[in-house]
Amino acid sequence: MNDSVPSQDNKRELKLMSLEELNLWGNVFNSYMLSSLGSLSNLKSLSLTHIFDVDAMEGSIGLPALKNLEKLHLEYGNENGWQNLTNLKELTLTDLSSTSNIIRDIGTLTSLEDLVIDGCDVGANLNLYGFCELRKQQTLAIINSDWNVSLPECFSELTSLKYLDISKNHFSGNISVFKNLTLFEYLDISFNNFFGDISMLKNLTLLEYLDLSSNKFSGYISFFMSLTSLRELRLSKNKIEIPNNNMIYNAETEMHSLDTPTFQLRSITLSCCGDGGSFPQSLNHQHDLEHVDLSNINFKGYQFPNCSLSGHFQLPPTSHRGLLYLDVSNNSLDGNIPNEIGAKLPSLKLLNMSNNFFGGGIAISIGGMIFLQLLDLSNNKSSSGIPRHLPMGLVLFDVSNNQLFGDIPSSMENLTLMLTLDLSNNTLFGGTPRWMGKMSNLEELVMGNNHFEGPIPVEFCKLKYFLKILDLSANNISGSLPSCFSSLSLTHVYLSRNKLKGPITSFFNSSALVTLDLSNNHLIGNIPNWIGSLSMLSYLLLNNNYFEGGISVQLCELHWLRLIDVSSNNLSGTIPPCLMITISNDSSRAKYNNSEYLDFIGYTSVDVPVKFTMKSISYFYKATVLTYLSGIDLSCNKLTGEIPHLFQHFQDIIVLNFSHNNLIGPIPPALADLSQIESLDLSHNHLSGNIPSQLLGTGQFVTFEESSYVGNPFLCGEPVPKNCSTNGSSSSVPKNATDEGFIDMKVFYASFVGSYIVMPLCISIVLYINPYWRQAWFYHVEAATMSCYYFVLDNVLPKRFR
């Protein structure tokens, strides 16, 4: 073979050497294979994402040799040699554990036009001055990276920037740094710590998208009237003021009227933006609006869009078919909802008018809004019945916390797409409709605090596939729990304050159950052992029923249990020691990662309160507060034995109530380990001995008064009034009282025998002294003897013996 002819291997190598574009997404490589990429000196585009090798993740790809690279997407590695990539125009870095080397050399990438950094960590002492050298940069996105740094003033020199997204970080600085970047078309700096007067942005006339939400900006909202290209505006959660008239001040404090804007907004969000004031009248000319969020503002005297949100709610004179989303919640609107709302806003998909002061009835025309999916009229003063006709596309219908009355119309059975139905806190009455079993997609059914009556329909058993939350609390629901009702998807059940009776026969397969509240009913029987198999159960409330038997040790299998209340029942036996270890008190879930914990336990959009007693006062706790509470209430039962001594795994307990039982023995000194306790009640038991001195100078125990221990006659020491002797027992109690109970048996027997001796002796002395009483005594004794004799003779002895 001629040596001058290249072999097949050499041909392949030559082809690879000339390769210009390489995408290695989702492959398996080791660090050696990746390091060989440096030999591909002609590469212009390289994508390394989803590389499945731990060793490779820490390796190097030999960047210094890739001098012709123009486009790079990197998802691993800790590279050096960035200063050689002078031709790089597009750079995307995703989920890197460290980008310190890249940020240090970023200023050398002088050709860079597009830079995206998503979810990348950086070290301490972060310096962003290198970004100021990227004078050709048009796109910059640093998102979800939690960078805590101030933007340098030199950012104002990046005059080629058109797209900037640095949202969801901890950036800080004055908004003035952006005022000269007049080529901006997209600006999102939301969820940071920027500050300054938003009027600094008034010259960014090419802006189409502007999101400044969740910062610390100030100024007047009218600044954006000069942004002639604007299509989407988001300013929520700032300190922006709403002018009280249709005028604003310029820098020379002269007043100028606002002209009709030349732009047409598609979306505007001003939630939590200012407090009161008047919205610019010029926004009446916005006809392309699809999404409007004006919640949490408390506007006074303005119209938008073509409708007054001051006092009575007024609709535009003509139909506004382009509007898809309207949120005017959390304001001060009053009057009636206009009857013609369905005709004037026929295309709405979302209508949120909650948390206002609307009265009257629910507009009948809402039933004609065929595109409507979410309707929230909660927390108003509406006083009528539920409309007989509602839009068939509804997936959420919330009219809670109003003054609605009447029954639930049967026409609602056709709303088969419904996911959330909230009718709670009204004066609705009638039976719980059987046809609700046909609402097969229902996830949240909330009807608490009304006047519904009758049994829970068996048809509810058909909701077992999707139903997550069931609230029928504070009604007049009677009958027994349907045995077939055991949904696998249920996470929260609230049936308290009703008239339910019989044993617990439902929920035995509801393995996702987090909250089970059956308190204040007429339930009987034992607490079922299968409750211990509900592995996710966190809140168990069975108080104020007629349960009997012991506290099942199966409850010790509930490793997520935070709150148990079985007070005011007929429970007997001892307190299982393992129960003290079972109560989950990992407060870090609530304190440090509350949102994730709420998701974990099945947190829903409906927040139903749970009633629990603390310091002898009953409070209602909603889910967001309940996550911080842990406790045990076993009060008002017939429990016996001693208080368990195991508290070392129970340190964050908030409430402990063992009162009104028959508990004996001393108070465990280990109670002092409960450093977070706020409510302790051991009153009205048979506890004895000295109140441990460890409780008298430890945390909250110092604040507990005599009421926490009252009703234990053999308990002594502060804060009860009885003093203790030197041996630690009460001076008024016999030494062996705690060993033999409340009655000293030796004293009892001695007094019994003595009474039989003393009584005859006393009678003899009296008869000896008084002859008349003596004669009468013997007369009555003789008469009684003869009566007994003749009674026996006539009625007992056979005739042959008479």
Side-chain angles (χ1 to χ4, degrees):
M1 179 179 295
N2 191 335
D3 292 338
S4 63
V5 178
S7 64
Q8 291 295 325
D9 291 339
N10 290 335
K11 288 181 179 180
R12 294 191 188 97
E13 185 176 349
L14 288 173
K15 288 182 178 180
L16 285 175
M17 293 295 292
S18 61
L19 194 65
E20 294 185 356
E21 184 175 346
L22 180 60
N23 188 340
L24 299 178
W25 185 94
N27 284 283
V28 180
F29 295 96
N30 57 34
S31 57
Y32 172 77
M33 298 170 65
L34 289 175
S35 64
S36 63
L37 293 176
S39 61
L40 305 179
S41 57
N42 290 319
L43 268 184
K44 293 184 178 181
S45 175
L46 175 61
S47 179
L48 288 176
T49 59
H50 293 80
I51 302 299
F52 299 103
D53 190 290
V54 177
D55 176 53
M57 298 292 284
E58 302 299 327
S60 173
I61 59 175
L63 276 180
L66 302 178
K67 297 181 179 180
N68 293 316
L69 266 183
E70 297 179 0
K71 183 177 181 180
L72 175 62
H73 188 173
L74 198 60
E75 200 178 58
Y76 89 101
N78 189 13
E79 294 294 327
N80 290 297
W82 291 89
Q83 60 272 21
N84 294 330
L85 304 182
T86 54
N87 293 316
L88 195 63
K89 295 181 179 181
E90 297 181 27
L91 175 60
T92 302
L93 307 173
T94 307
D95 296 326
L96 293 184
S97 59
S98 176
T99 55
S100 299
N101 293 337
I102 305 173
I103 302 304
R104 182 192 62 201
D105 299 331
I106 198 73
T108 63
L109 306 180
T110 53
S111 299
L112 201 61
E113 298 178 358
D114 298 333
L115 173 60
V116 177
I117 302 175
D118 186 357
C120 296
D121 296 332
V122 291
N125 302 318
L126 179 62
N127 187 323
L128 297 183
Y129 285 93
F131 285 86
C132 300
E133 304 298 324
L134 306 178
R135 302 301 175 87
K136 296 181 180 180
Q137 194 167 21
Q138 299 181 21
T139 298
L140 174 60
I142 305 173
I143 55 177
N144 304 311
S145 297
D146 201 29
W147 289 13
N148 191 352
V149 65
S150 176
L151 284 186
E153 287 293 331
C154 60
F155 249 68
S156 61
E157 300 173 8
L158 300 180
T159 54
S160 297
L161 269 180
K162 296 180 179 180
Y163 182 107
L164 177 63
D165 185 351
I166 53 175
S167 60
K168 299 178 182 177
N169 283 282
H170 289 90
F171 286 117
S172 60
N174 196 303
I175 196 174
S176 60
V177 74
F178 305 114
K179 66 179 181 180
N180 295 323
L181 306 182
T182 55
L183 295 182
F184 267 145
E185 298 175 1
Y186 184 105
L187 177 59
D188 186 352
I189 56 176
S190 59
F191 296 93
N192 281 289
N193 296 309
F194 288 107
F195 58 91
D197 191 331
I198 55 175
S199 63
M200 291 287 183
L201 303 181
K202 64 183 179 181
N203 295 325
L204 307 186
T205 56
L206 298 181
L207 265 181
E208 296 182 8
Y209 180 98
L210 177 60
D211 191 346
L212 307 180
S213 55
S214 297
N215 279 281
K216 300 176 181 178
F217 294 125
S218 59
Y220 285 112
I221 197 174
S222 308
F223 83 96
F224 70 89
M225 301 302 295
S226 61
L227 306 181
T228 55
S229 302
L230 201 60
R231 299 290 283 165
E232 297 192 30
L233 176 64
R234 305 178 189 276
L235 300 177
S236 60
K237 296 184 179 179
N238 280 287
K239 298 179 181 179
I240 300 172
E241 298 181 44
I242 313 296
N244 287 322
N245 48 51
N246 211 32
M247 315 290 287
I248 61 171
Y249 288 96
N250 68 358
E252 289 77 27
T253 68
E254 298 176 353
M255 298 183 67
H256 297 275
S257 298
L258 291 174
D259 297 325
T260 301
T262 59
F263 58 82
Q264 286 292 321
L265 289 174
R266 284 194 304 259
S267 174
I268 183 168
T269 301
L270 304 178
S271 177
C272 296
C273 190
D275 185 15
S278 301
F279 200 84
Q281 294 289 332
S282 51
L283 280 180
N284 287 340
H285 302 280
Q286 298 300 309
H287 304 295
D288 292 347
L289 278 170
E290 298 177 359
H291 184 285
V292 177
D293 185 353
L294 304 179
S295 60
N296 295 285
I297 302 176
N298 290 321
F299 278 137
K300 306 290 183 183
Y302 75 96
Q303 286 192 333
F304 177 75
N306 289 330
C307 60
S308 171
L309 298 182
S310 162
H312 296 338
F313 186 80
Q314 299 177 11
L315 290 168
T318 59
S319 176
H320 203 100
R321 295 182 177 275
L323 193 61
L324 303 179
Y325 305 93
L326 177 61
D327 187 346
V328 293
S329 62
N330 295 284
N331 283 290
S332 301
L333 302 173
D334 56 18
N336 295 343
I337 299 174
N339 287 327
E340 63 273 19
I341 189 172
K344 296 296 181 64
L345 304 174
S347 303
L348 281 182
K349 294 182 179 181
L350 179 149
L351 176 59
N352 188 352
M353 307 178 78
S354 63
N355 292 284
N356 282 286
F357 299 98
F358 289 117
I362 299 175
I364 298 177
S365 65
I366 288 179
M369 303 171 74
I370 60 175
F371 301 104
L372 196 63
Q373 298 178 16
L374 292 92
L375 177 59
D376 191 347
L377 305 177
S378 62
N379 293 282
N380 281 286
K381 296 182 178 180
S382 296
S383 55
S384 67
I386 299 175
R388 300 293 166 182
H389 299 287
L390 291 169
M392 297 290 291
L394 276 181
V395 296
L396 181 146
F397 181 51
D398 188 349
V399 290
S400 61
N401 295 285
N402 278 283
Q403 300 167 12
L404 301 177
F405 55 85
D407 59 359
I408 302 176
S410 58
S411 56
M412 289 185 65
E413 69 176 302
N414 298 318
L415 303 179
T416 55
L417 300 177
M418 187 76 72
L419 300 179
T420 298
L421 176 61
D422 193 344
L423 309 176
S424 61
N425 298 295
N426 284 285
T427 54
L428 299 169
F429 54 79
T432 307
R434 296 180 179 275
W435 48 257
M436 281 189 171
K438 297 180 181 179
M439 304 175 79
S440 56
N441 292 309
L442 203 60
E443 295 182 358
E444 300 174 347
L445 177 58
V446 186
M447 299 167 57
N449 201 17
N450 281 285
H451 301 300
F452 296 117
E453 57 188 7
I456 298 175
V458 177
E459 286 76 7
F460 273 29
C461 297
K462 299 178 182 178
L463 304 176
K464 61 183 179 180
Y465 295 109
F466 299 106
L467 190 65
K468 295 179 180 179
I469 180 169
L470 174 65
D471 177 21
L472 299 176
S473 61
N475 282 286
N476 294 312
I477 306 297
S478 57
S480 57
L481 295 168
S483 59
C484 60
F485 193 67
S486 187
S487 172
L488 296 175
S489 58
L490 267 177
T491 56
H492 302 277
V493 173
Y494 307 94
L495 297 176
S496 64
R497 290 169 287 154
N498 280 291
K499 299 177 181 178
L500 294 170
K501 61 182 181 180
I504 302 178
T505 56
S506 303
F507 319 118
F508 50 87
N509 283 331
S510 301
S511 56
L513 202 59
V514 174
T515 303
L516 180 59
D517 187 356
L518 303 177
S519 60
N520 293 278
N521 280 286
H522 305 303
L523 300 172
I524 61 173
N526 295 343
I527 297 176
N529 290 335
W530 52 258
I531 287 184
S533 65
L534 305 179
S535 57
M536 303 303 300
L537 196 63
S538 297
Y539 309 100
L540 177 62
L541 298 102
L542 305 176
N543 51 294
N544 290 281
N545 280 285
Y546 298 99
F547 293 116
E548 56 189 8
I551 299 176
S552 174
V553 294
Q554 273 73 22
L555 294 181
C556 298
E557 300 298 321
L558 301 175
H559 300 300
W560 285 98
L561 194 62
R562 292 184 57 82
L563 194 68
I564 178 172
D565 187 351
V566 293
S567 62
S568 299
N569 281 285
N570 295 317
L571 299 175
S572 57
T574 60
I575 301 174
C578 60
L579 186 64
M580 310 303 293
I581 304 176
T582 299
I583 295 295
S584 174
N585 58 28
D586 186 3
S587 58
S588 61
R589 291 196 303 266
K591 294 179 181 177
Y592 304 112
N593 211 4
N594 195 36
S595 60
E596 290 186 12
Y597 177 63
L598 290 175
D599 292 337
F600 176 73
I601 65 174
Y603 179 68
T604 62
S605 60
V606 178
D607 197 357
V608 180
V610 166
K611 188 177 183 181
F612 188 69
T613 301
M614 179 185 290
K615 296 182 179 179
S616 302
I617 302 176
S618 295
Y619 299 94
F620 285 93
Y621 299 94
K622 291 191 174 183
T624 49
V625 177
L626 204 59
T627 56
Y628 293 88
L629 185 64
S630 63
I632 298 180
D633 191 345
L634 310 180
S635 63
C636 300
N637 280 288
K638 301 175 182 178
L639 299 175
T640 57
E642 296 188 354
I643 298 176
H645 292 233
L646 300 175
F647 291 97
Q648 64 269 31
H649 301 290
F650 200 49
Q651 295 178 359
D652 290 338
I653 186 68
I654 305 295
V655 180
L656 187 63
N657 191 345
F658 292 162
S659 65
H660 293 275
N661 280 288
N662 298 317
L663 300 176
I664 62 172
I667 297 176
L671 274 175
D673 293 335
L674 305 181
S675 56
Q676 302 299 320
I677 196 165
E678 296 183 11
S679 178
L680 174 69
D681 195 347
L682 305 178
S683 64
H684 299 285
N685 279 285
H686 306 320
L687 300 175
S688 59
N690 189 8
I691 296 176
S693 59
Q694 294 92 325
L695 305 186
L696 302 180
T698 305
Q700 281 289 108
F701 287 97
V702 179
T703 66
F704 299 147
E705 300 178 350
E706 180 186 355
S707 58
S708 295
Y709 308 98
V710 72
N712 291 284
F714 298 143
L715 204 59
C716 62
E718 294 183 2
V720 299
K722 288 187 178 181
N723 295 323
C724 294
S725 60
T726 56
N727 61 3
S729 60
S730 176
S731 58
S732 61
V733 180
K735 183 178 179 180
N736 59 351
T738 57
D739 296 329
E740 300 183 2
F742 293 108
I743 300 178
D744 191 328
M745 297 307 294
K746 293 180 180 180
V747 175
F748 173 75
Y749 290 134
S751 61
F752 184 79
V753 173
S755 63
Y756 273 90
I757 296 174
V758 172
M759 285 300 293
L761 183 60
C762 291
I763 293 173
S764 300
I765 294 173
V766 171
L767 294 181
Y768 176 78
I769 296 174
N770 193 323
Y772 175 76
W773 285 2
R774 183 170 62 249
Q775 182 180 1
W777 169 265
F778 287 117
Y779 172 78
H780 286 294
V781 171
E782 181 181 7
T785 303
M786 293 304 296
S787 295
C788 292
Y789 169 76
Y790 286 116
F791 177 81
V792 173
L793 186 65
D794 293 337
N795 298 285
V796 178
L797 290 176
K799 291 182 180 180
R800 64 178 180 271
F801 293 110
R802 295 178 183 176

